[in-house]
Amino acid sequence: MEYEVVIGLEIHVELATETKIFCDCTTAFGGEVNTHCCPICTGMPGTLPVMNEKVVEYAIRAGIALNCEIAHFSKMDRKNYFYPDLPKAYQVSQFDLPLCKNGYVDIEVDGKIKRIGITRIHMEEDAGKLIHDQWGTGSLIDYNRCGVPLIEIVSEPDIRSAEEAKAYVEKVRSIIQYIGASDCKMQEGSLRADVNLSVRPIGQEKFGTRTEMKNLNSFKSILRAAEHEQRRQISEIEHGNIIVQETRRWDDTKGKSYSMRSKEEAHDYRYFPEPDLVPIELTDEQISKIRKELPELPEDRVNKYINDYQLPEYDAKLLTVSKNISDFFEQAVTSGANPKKASNYIMGDLMKLMNQYDDEAIPFDGDKLAKLISLVEAGTISQNIASKVLSMMYETRKDPAAIVKEENLAVVNDESALSEMIENIIAQHTKSVNDYLGGNTKAIGFLIGQVMQKSKGKGNPQMISRLLEEKLNKLK
Amino acid sequence: MTIEQLHGKLISKEIKVEELVHQYYEKIEAKDKDISAYISLCKDNAMKNAVLIQERINQNKDITPLTGIPMAIKDNMCTKDSKTTCGSKMLENFEPPYNATVVEKLESSGSILLGKLNMDEFAMGGSTENSAFKKTKNPYDLSRVPGGSSGGSAACVAADMAVFTLGSDTGGSIRQPASFCGVVGLKPTYGTISRYGLVAFASSLDQIGPITKTVTDAGLVLNATAGKDKYDSTSSERNIADYNEYLKKDIKNIKLAVPRQYLASGISAEVKDSILNAINEYEKMGIVCEYVDLKLADYAIAAYYIISSAEASSNLARYDGIKYGYHSENYTNLIELYKNSRSEGFGAEVKRRIMLGTYALSSGYYDAYYKKALQVRTLIKNEFDKIFETYDGIIGPTAPTTAYKIGEKSEDPLEMYLGDVYTVSVNIAGLPAISIPCGFDSHHLPVGLQIIGKAFDERKILQIAYAYEQQSSFQGLIKEAK
């Protein structure tokens, strides 16, 4: 039987506010354990939360950018459960009146555009972190993350493949980065996704029983977890088993998922309105002010790159997937780089390097790429050497001119030095020389390559080919 | 002596702050072994502060009506690095890392904190018998309860072991003990005094307020403690310079409502007589008193116990034996640590409310209980609003009886809950109300008159209370206490 997969995603994003959602503690990542906390975020008796207005603003920005309706009246609720990383034994979140709802985002998979519905976006506080086993006797708690503001973006079950799931998360992440609501660093956990997945025979309208995999924090794990879960469910059904509604833990290193708890053991969170906070009431003016001040979205930049920079659509789309890369590109262009040349270096060498180092951003500014391009344009270094310089820039963050100087990579324009190399090559490769002299003019390419190699890629290519032709012609 | 009287003596240097503080510690020494109002004293600190405050008076610098006045607070308001127990074994050794906003405000007013006062555990109860540490006695009759949950705060003022105290009132916890102990107790409008640092019982109902010897003193303490606090989003922006502003204004145009339901069933005959006498007194002053219906009064207790217990079940969930407070030694895993710490650390009444509240919020029951209670809450508010369209205040009894014997009701929680019948709807509607002494029963136990005002109209209820106090023979009632 043919099956169809149905996926809905919940994405948690840590907002880029400087302070926590209900107190003045810093949200900075890292830091000595339990140094970014105070009586309020550790839930000491008698303390009260006060809403950080920046959190509401960022959440509204996200709502607008994801085409949601923004509620004029919403409120915070308490979600009650016991866990040591949750010092109040409830999480302040939103239940029945979220800040944003009924949005959508368009994704592109295999050249086809598809619209994914967004059910809601709500605000909540993050919990602390348990540190297990380091001392053998038990677990310790770090409350630094406690009270860091989050938004949860809940999609409709509109996604029909693991690739679509990945594309959706990429698109949402890119938009959130563009509007400055979060850095969305997945390695640091500032963007995590829960995958809700079920399968059903093609043509069946009713959804199958779904499972949930929580806290996936890389595109690769989202893709793999969804593919694996899809296969697992189909195989269960094919073997005559039924799917149990449950939470499963995805182990990315083993490439397998494990059952965590079933619905029967599910929490009753006993949601009720948070009495310590006043409802969030917004006027049309407040919402439209945020709408007007919303930073440029990826679509705006795609249009700008095509129309103003005359880039091909392919380049424009690829450059704008990540705000980091797009910002880098714009820095390079602003610093005088030719847009197409900058685009080529980014899509080629730089993306390769980012993959190789598993980085989310290029570790230097775009103006350095502009400098590198101008070195090539001025003939100071060759195209080939430029790639080499770029990877050294990536490693050392040094200025390209400094690298060229230190590593002695400038083009060799010394005629006598090149002449000597050419004479040696002619002497060593008599067959190619004879081929050329016999009328096979293409053989010169091989000889030029040999000289280039001899010069370690630094010989001025125009000069080499002129000198080589002169010398070969003398042999005729 | 009252705040007003002592202020005069301090400013004229007739008495020094150190002497005054010392005198109060002597009184505590002499009386508190019988009354048991205090849980802890902070004598060293108080004596140190007394010297500093005397200095202020000598330099005539930053003097407020509370400067140099010895006072005490209920043990559910956080005092930095000194014990704040909430009357619970759970927090027996808990030292908060910060001061409550009221503590900061009282400190800057120059008043001197003598110690922390006994209370029903986590403010749940009406007799102070639910304290994990001691039973406070009523200064009028040591075999009787002082009321609760701010029983320590009321008994302390009645026995003059502090010039004034702070209590907290979630369903009557300031007014009912004030009534039982023959003192003045004011529960301000929800949002008047910051709750930051008040260990929460039911967040949407809790409100701090003064317990004093006179109405004027209550206004003075309110002046020093009220106001917007950036740490409490529910605190009001309203800025009232002097809550005693109306005290001496003409009372003639005031109209008072008397809810029929408050004098119908369940009230003791003697309390009823005292209230009828008080109404009579008001009428003699030329004030119109008319009977009205408060039909939803019957539903107030049910709604109150659902809402307050639901909020409490969540507010008290943080006491899990992990970060601070009581930690059971008897466990092998996390769940057992939670269960045993909470089972051993909380008293019976607290557990009862946590269970009640947890049940009311559970899926499948939420709509029938919690949601319904919120709807009743709205209706009760509307009913009060309607009355305040015509009347300036509502008067009636604070409690259906006078102080009862220790142990008399502690075995029957339901009967205890019914004692809150006149006070809870005020919290449900977020209104201000004051209890003032208005007579004695045949056991020579004080009766309290409750005056309820519209939201943020404390000035008017203080005016109404003051008018009665001035003509009654019950001012200075406390002199008769043991």
Side-chain angles (χ1 to χ4, degrees):
Chain A
M1 202 187 298
E2 288 287 306
Y3 291 91
E4 175 182 55
V5 65
V6 175
I7 300 173
L9 284 165
E10 289 162 27
I11 302 178
H12 288 89
V13 178
E14 278 182 0
L15 296 179
T17 55
E18 290 190 0
T19 56
K20 291 185 178 180
I21 185 166
F22 301 130
C23 65
D24 294 333
C25 292
T26 175
T27 56
F29 179 76
E32 194 68 19
V33 291
N34 292 317
T35 53
H36 299 168
C37 44
C38 73
I40 298 171
C41 54
T42 54
M44 295 306 275
T47 56
L48 300 169
V50 174
M51 180 59 92
N52 178 346
E53 286 174 16
K54 210 74 194 168
V55 171
V56 181
E57 188 192 320
Y58 283 174
I60 294 172
R61 275 196 208 173
I64 293 170
L66 295 171
N67 306 298
C68 290
E69 299 160 17
I70 311 299
H72 289 89
F73 183 92
S74 81
K75 65 173 169 73
M76 305 304 292
D77 298 279
R78 289 189 188 175
K79 179 180 181 181
N80 296 284
Y81 64 95
F82 287 94
Y83 204 63
D85 66 4
L86 192 67
K88 299 191 294 285
Y90 57 81
Q91 180 194 30
V92 179
S93 179
Q94 294 194 285
F95 183 51
D96 54 340
L97 296 173
L99 186 65
C100 317
K101 58 178 185 182
N102 299 335
Y104 64 85
V105 65
D106 291 332
I107 60 167
E108 194 178 324
V109 174
D110 298 335
K112 270 187 260 160
I113 307 273
K114 178 165 178 182
R115 180 159 290 186
I116 307 296
I118 289 171
T119 317
R120 58 185 277 162
I121 304 175
H122 69 251
M123 304 174 283
E124 60 188 26
E125 58 179 334
D126 210 342
K129 242 185 204 155
L130 292 190
I131 305 166
H132 294 291
D133 288 329
Q134 223 166 328
W135 285 265
T137 51
S139 302
L140 297 175
I141 311 162
D142 178 9
Y143 289 118
N144 281 356
R145 204 179 63 182
C146 236
V148 167
L150 295 176
I151 51 173
E152 181 176 329
I153 303 164
V154 183
S155 86
E156 290 287 309
D158 289 345
I159 297 163
R160 292 289 175 272
S161 70
E163 291 74 26
E164 284 183 15
K166 177 171 174 270
Y168 167 77
V169 179
E170 277 174 342
K171 189 63 182 282
V172 169
R173 175 175 183 261
S174 155
I175 289 171
I176 300 294
Q177 286 177 334
Y178 273 94
I179 58 170
S182 172
D183 59 17
C184 297
K185 284 185 186 158
M186 297 177 84
Q187 289 152 333
E188 293 181 7
S190 59
L191 187 147
R192 304 150 357 219
D194 301 345
V195 175
N196 287 288
L197 185 148
S198 64
V199 296
R200 63 182 172 190
I202 283 181
Q204 179 183 306
E205 217 167 290
K206 194 167 164 280
F207 289 137
T209 306
R210 69 186 153 84
T211 61
E212 183 177 20
M213 285 174 293
K214 282 185 176 292
N215 285 328
L216 301 171
N217 65 352
S218 72
F219 292 122
K220 201 181 76 189
S221 64
I222 292 168
L223 193 65
R224 290 178 67 209
E227 282 170 347
H228 178 273
E229 182 58 12
Q230 177 181 356
R231 279 197 303 273
R232 189 192 69 86
Q233 288 191 13
I234 293 171
S235 148
E236 291 284 342
I237 294 168
E238 302 263 272
H239 285 86
N241 300 324
I242 53 161
I243 304 298
V244 185
Q245 186 172 341
E246 62 181 354
T247 303
R248 299 181 68 83
R249 187 173 62 85
W250 171 253
D251 185 329
D252 205 43
T253 43
K254 296 211 175 89
K256 278 173 122 174
S257 68
Y258 301 91
S259 175
M260 279 174 75
R261 56 170 189 254
S262 69
K263 200 196 168 203
E264 288 75 52
E265 305 162 46
H267 288 297
D268 178 358
Y269 290 119
R270 289 173 284 116
Y271 280 100
F272 75 103
E274 163 59 290
D276 288 329
L277 287 167
V278 290
I280 300 147
E281 292 179 77
L282 296 163
T283 61
D284 284 331
E285 289 71 37
Q286 285 169 308
I287 297 168
S288 62
K289 183 167 181 280
I290 295 173
R291 190 184 296 276
K292 259 183 241 146
E293 290 167 1
L294 201 68
E296 221 175 12
L297 290 170
E299 279 80 5
D300 304 325
R301 289 204 184 179
V302 168
N303 291 334
K304 185 168 80 183
Y305 294 179
I306 294 172
N307 298 327
D308 299 359
Y309 300 154
Q310 277 80 46
L311 287 187
E313 189 181 328
Y314 176 81
D315 291 36
K317 283 187 171 165
L318 195 62
L319 288 175
T320 52
V321 165
S322 148
K323 178 166 188 286
N324 289 328
I325 291 174
S326 174
D327 284 347
F328 179 90
F329 168 73
E330 296 199 356
Q331 280 167 357
V333 173
T334 314
S335 305
N338 171 293
K340 182 56 189 159
K341 282 184 182 164
S343 168
N344 288 346
Y345 277 112
I346 293 170
M347 296 193 305
D349 292 312
L350 282 169
M351 286 192 175
K352 225 179 282 163
L353 285 162
M354 285 171 81
N355 269 334
Q356 190 184 321
Y357 288 91
D358 204 15
D359 278 344
E360 294 184 9
I362 298 162
F364 54 87
D365 288 342
D367 64 326
K368 286 196 176 146
L369 177 63
K371 283 182 191 164
L372 181 77
I373 291 171
S374 74
L375 288 176
V376 177
E377 283 173 344
T380 314
I381 54 171
S382 67
Q383 197 79 266
N384 283 337
I385 289 294
S387 293
K388 193 173 170 188
V389 173
L390 207 49
S391 70
M392 292 169 92
M393 285 162 73
Y394 203 96
E395 272 175 57
T396 64
R397 284 109 167 112
K398 279 186 185 162
D399 212 62
I403 292 173
V404 168
K405 197 170 166 216
E406 279 167 29
E407 303 291 323
N408 194 21
L409 294 170
V411 165
V412 174
N413 286 314
D414 181 340
E415 266 204 47
S416 63
L418 287 174
S419 291
E420 204 184 309
M421 285 182 215
I422 289 167
E423 276 157 21
N424 282 333
I425 295 296
I426 289 175
Q428 284 164 20
H429 299 280
T430 45
K431 186 175 178 297
S432 300
V433 171
N434 288 334
D435 284 352
Y436 177 80
L437 294 176
N440 182 4
T441 47
K442 278 182 189 165
I444 197 167
F446 172 78
L447 293 166
I448 291 173
Q450 290 301 312
V451 180
M452 213 48 175
Q453 212 171 35
K454 194 90 187 164
S455 74
K456 297 195 177 105
K458 294 183 292 183
N460 179 333
Q462 283 85 37
M463 195 179 277
I464 292 173
S465 94
R466 178 172 56 78
L467 290 173
L468 193 62
E469 268 177 56
E470 281 172 16
K471 288 187 195 293
L472 286 171
N473 287 339
K474 275 188 199 156
L475 295 175
K476 273 187 183 167
Chain B
M1 264 186 287
T2 66
I3 295 172
E4 263 187 310
Q5 291 161 341
L6 283 170
H7 180 68
K9 289 186 191 289
L10 286 165
I11 298 308
S12 67
K13 316 236 168 66
E14 199 178 310
I15 185 168
K16 281 182 141 181
V17 181
E18 293 148 83
E19 284 170 54
L20 187 61
V21 172
H22 187 71
Q23 279 172 19
Y24 269 91
Y25 277 116
E26 283 187 332
K27 276 192 224 183
I28 294 167
E29 177 89 3
K31 295 181 177 183
D32 204 42
K33 53 184 186 300
D34 292 330
I35 293 171
S36 299
Y38 281 92
I39 287 183
S40 60
L41 296 172
C42 43
K43 197 168 174 183
D44 289 351
N45 235 344
M47 294 313 296
K48 243 184 272 165
N49 284 337
V51 176
L52 296 174
I53 298 297
Q54 185 61 48
E55 199 55 29
R56 265 206 227 175
I57 294 176
N58 294 346
Q59 293 173 4
N60 198 15
K61 219 178 75 189
D62 301 327
I63 292 181
T64 78
L66 301 189
T67 304
I69 304 290
M71 53 85 187
I73 59 176
K74 189 175 180 177
D75 209 18
N76 59 353
M77 296 170 213
C78 288
T79 42
K80 190 174 188 220
D81 301 331
S82 80
K83 281 181 191 172
T84 300
T85 68
C86 288
S88 180
K89 186 176 170 188
M90 184 60 91
L91 292 179
E92 188 168 3
N93 295 307
F94 175 63
E95 295 182 352
Y98 73 105
N99 273 328
T101 298
V102 279
V103 171
E104 296 276 331
K105 286 198 160 205
L106 286 177
E107 199 174 295
S108 68
S109 78
S111 59
I112 311 278
L113 182 67
L114 299 174
K116 312 272 305 269
L117 298 161
N118 199 19
M119 55 185 284
D120 283 303
E121 184 178 7
F122 284 101
M124 296 172 185
S127 66
T128 316
E129 290 166 291
N130 296 334
S131 166
F133 307 116
K134 48 171 80 170
K135 290 185 169 57
T136 300
K137 317 312 186 289
N138 191 314
Y140 279 89
D141 177 347
L142 297 178
S143 69
R144 289 176 189 271
V145 301
S149 65
S150 312
S153 302
C156 182
V157 173
D160 198 30
M161 295 191 289
V163 183
F164 72 88
T165 62
L166 290 185
S168 67
D169 190 318
T170 306
S173 282
I174 287 174
R175 291 158 289 158
Q176 184 256 25
S179 166
F180 280 18
C181 293
V183 291
V184 174
L186 173 66
K187 184 210 90 85
T189 310
Y190 184 78
T192 300
I193 296 177
S194 168
R195 291 185 294 118
Y196 187 73
L198 169 69
V199 178
F201 160 13
S203 313
S204 75
L205 302 161
D206 293 344
Q207 182 58 207
I208 293 170
I211 295 182
T212 56
K213 296 165 186 172
T214 64
V215 173
T216 309
D217 279 4
L220 292 175
V221 178
L222 194 54
N223 283 343
T225 49
K228 178 72 191 169
D229 179 10
K230 66 171 180 163
Y231 292 111
D232 178 359
S233 340
T234 64
S235 66
S236 163
E237 301 274 358
R238 257 169 244 255
N239 189 6
I240 293 169
D242 181 13
Y243 283 93
N244 282 341
E245 193 185 345
Y246 299 168
L247 285 194
K248 288 169 185 155
K249 274 197 177 170
D250 187 14
I251 198 99
K252 288 261 154 44
N253 293 323
I254 297 261
K255 279 181 83 176
L256 296 178
V258 183
R260 278 186 198 93
Q261 288 78 1
Y262 281 15
L263 295 171
S265 58
I267 187 167
S268 91
E270 291 186 293
V271 170
K272 187 173 173 177
D273 283 348
S274 291
I275 301 302
L276 291 175
N277 282 337
I279 293 167
N280 204 14
E281 291 294 330
Y282 275 118
E283 283 175 332
K284 274 196 242 160
M285 288 179 236
I287 289 173
V288 176
C289 296
E290 290 173 346
Y291 283 97
V292 296
D293 276 320
L294 207 51
K295 291 198 179 108
L296 294 166
D298 284 352
Y299 300 97
I301 287 196
Y304 169 78
Y305 276 93
I306 288 168
I307 294 168
S308 64
S309 302
E311 291 180 9
S313 72
S314 170
N315 283 332
L316 271 63
R318 72 189 65 193
Y319 308 110
D320 57 8
I322 294 201
K323 301 166 293 294
Y324 48 77
Y326 183 81
H327 175 92
S328 176
E329 294 303 326
N330 163 32
Y331 64 91
T332 54
N333 59 41
L334 180 66
I335 300 296
E336 268 180 37
L337 170 61
Y338 283 156
K339 279 188 182 167
N340 295 341
S341 296
R342 290 168 68 77
S343 299
E344 295 160 23
F346 286 136
E349 183 60 29
V350 170
K351 287 181 202 163
R352 186 154 38 233
R353 310 256 186 139
I354 290 172
M355 285 189 279
L356 187 64
T358 305
Y359 184 80
L361 289 176
S362 297
S363 91
Y365 300 97
Y366 182 91
D367 287 356
Y369 295 108
Y370 188 75
K371 202 172 162 194
K372 195 66 144 222
L374 289 186
Q375 288 163 345
V376 170
R377 183 175 198 165
T378 306
L379 295 176
I380 289 175
K381 266 187 199 160
N382 294 345
E383 198 173 29
F384 274 115
D385 285 350
K386 193 103 201 179
I387 293 174
F388 286 119
E389 282 172 14
T390 317
Y391 300 94
D392 300 289
I394 296 170
I395 61 169
T398 304
T401 66
T402 53
Y404 41 85
K405 293 272 188 189
I406 291 169
E408 191 181 327
K409 293 190 182 178
S410 51
E411 295 308 311
D412 187 351
L414 217 56
E415 204 192 327
M416 193 84 94
Y417 295 173
L418 290 174
D420 300 335
V421 61
Y422 309 128
T423 47
V424 290
S425 51
V426 170
N427 300 75
I428 282 183
L431 304 174
I434 192 169
S435 177
I436 57 170
C438 74
F440 287 103
D441 70 3
S442 52
H443 298 287
H444 201 69
L445 295 168
V447 177
L449 173 74
Q450 178 173 232
I451 305 161
I452 305 165
K454 64 174 177 233
F456 300 105
D457 212 6
E458 280 80 3
R459 282 172 298 184
K460 194 156 284 167
I461 60 169
L462 287 167
Q463 180 193 8
I464 296 165
Y466 182 78
Y468 180 84
E469 185 189 53
Q470 291 310 299
Q471 63 71 50
S472 83
S473 52
F474 306 115
Q475 194 188 11
L477 192 71
I478 43 171
K479 280 182 205 142
E480 299 171 44
K482 293 201 177 69

